[in-house]
């Protein structure tokens, strides 16, 4: 299979290395990833400056065709298919070094790169690991590749995007695979104030998750906390169709000259 690999952690990220090593030999790969870490940049694309693309060598994967882009994850997807001439059968974004659960997907550059692929008509999967370390990346990569036929089989021309999250556990402790809907994530609103010497207010975000999960939850967050691999189908049309139909009845009118 022809697979495009993108991410938001940068082309030197451990998650890309683990994923490439697990896929190489079985698939035709192209890596196109940001030059620098682009975590939580969302679905931005670069508009007001030129992009620079470099062919690079991945650590431990010297024979893989790889490029870095000094732009966003979504830029990387567009560059790969639009300028590098790669026509993928599947786009994989990850493995991200942090979870992309619940409403985190709105901020996630990892999900955005896969979502951009879906918007361009390609089947795509965003894959992430819970926790902020690189432990168990090899386990995630191996199990993800073992289950790739299952995940790929969930995609078609109409439904092109999946979000997959692994628990921060060794593979022997995975409890299974479950389908879950997005949790509503909760973080502190207030930023930490940092002493600044020039009189300006200096703030730093607090990465402390406050999300509560109840025993009856079927959210992706709860599933991963319970040791399951969570799989969530996503779509980029965020129209609230129920409200749209109600609004049509209330607001639609014709103006005549």
């Amino acid at each position: 299979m022809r697979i495009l690999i993108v991410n938001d952690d940068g082309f030197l990220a451990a998650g890309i290395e683990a994923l490439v090593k697990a896929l190489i030999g079985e698939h035709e790969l192209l890596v196109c990833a940001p030059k620098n870490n682009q975590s939580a940049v969302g679905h931005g694309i670069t508009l007001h400056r030129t992009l620079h693309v470099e062919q690079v060598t991945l650590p431990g994967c010297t024979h893989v065709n790889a490029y870095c882009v000094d732009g966003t994850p979504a830029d990387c997807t567009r560059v790969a298919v639009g300028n590098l001439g790669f026509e993928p059968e599947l786009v994989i974004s990850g493995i991200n070094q942090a979870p992309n659960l619940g409403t985190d997907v709105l901020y996630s550059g990892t999900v955005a790169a896969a979502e951009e692929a879906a918007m361009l008509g390609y089947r795509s999967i965003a894959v992430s690991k819970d926790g902020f370390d690189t432990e168990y990346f090899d386990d995630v990569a191996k199990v993800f590749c073992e289950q790739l036929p299952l995940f790929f089989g969930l995609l078609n021309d109409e439904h092109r995007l999946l979000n997959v999250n692994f628990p921060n556990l060794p593979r022997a402790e995975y409890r299974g695979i479950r389908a879950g809907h997005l949790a509503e994530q909760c973080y502190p609103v207030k930023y930490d104030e940092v002493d600044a010497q020039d009189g300006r207010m200096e703030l730093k975000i607090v990465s402390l998750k406050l999300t509560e999960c109840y025993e009856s939850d079927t959210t992706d967050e709860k599933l991963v906390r319970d040791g399951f691999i969570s799989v969530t189908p996503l779509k980029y049309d965020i129209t609230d169709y129920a409200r749209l139909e109600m609004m049509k009845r209330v607001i639609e009118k014709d103006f005549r000259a």
Side-chain angles (χ1 to χ4, degrees), residues 1-6 77 81 86-94 113-118 122-126 144 152 155 160-162:
M1 192 184 324
R2 293 187 309 280
I3 298 177
L4 170 62
I5 298 176
V6 291
T77 299
V81 301
F86 193 73
E87 189 68 18
E89 297 169 84
L90 177 66
V91 177
I92 302 175
S93 185
E115 187 175 54
E116 184 69 23
Y122 300 98
R123 304 176 192 198
S124 58
I125 305 172
F144 176 78
F152 188 73
L155 302 169
R160 297 190 291 268
L161 179 59
L162 291 180

Side-chain angles (χ1 to χ4, degrees), residues 24-66:
I24 198 169
E26 299 292 328
H27 304 277
E28 179 186 348
L29 305 180
L30 176 74
V31 174
C32 189
K35 185 172 184 178
N36 301 302
N37 191 301
Q38 296 289 311
S39 296
V41 300
H43 205 133
I45 57 174
T46 301
L47 294 178
H48 301 297
R49 64 173 179 83
T50 57
L51 288 171
H52 299 88
V53 183
E54 304 172 48
Q55 190 161 16
V56 295
T57 300
L58 298 181
C61 309
T62 56
H63 300 299
V64 173
N65 201 13

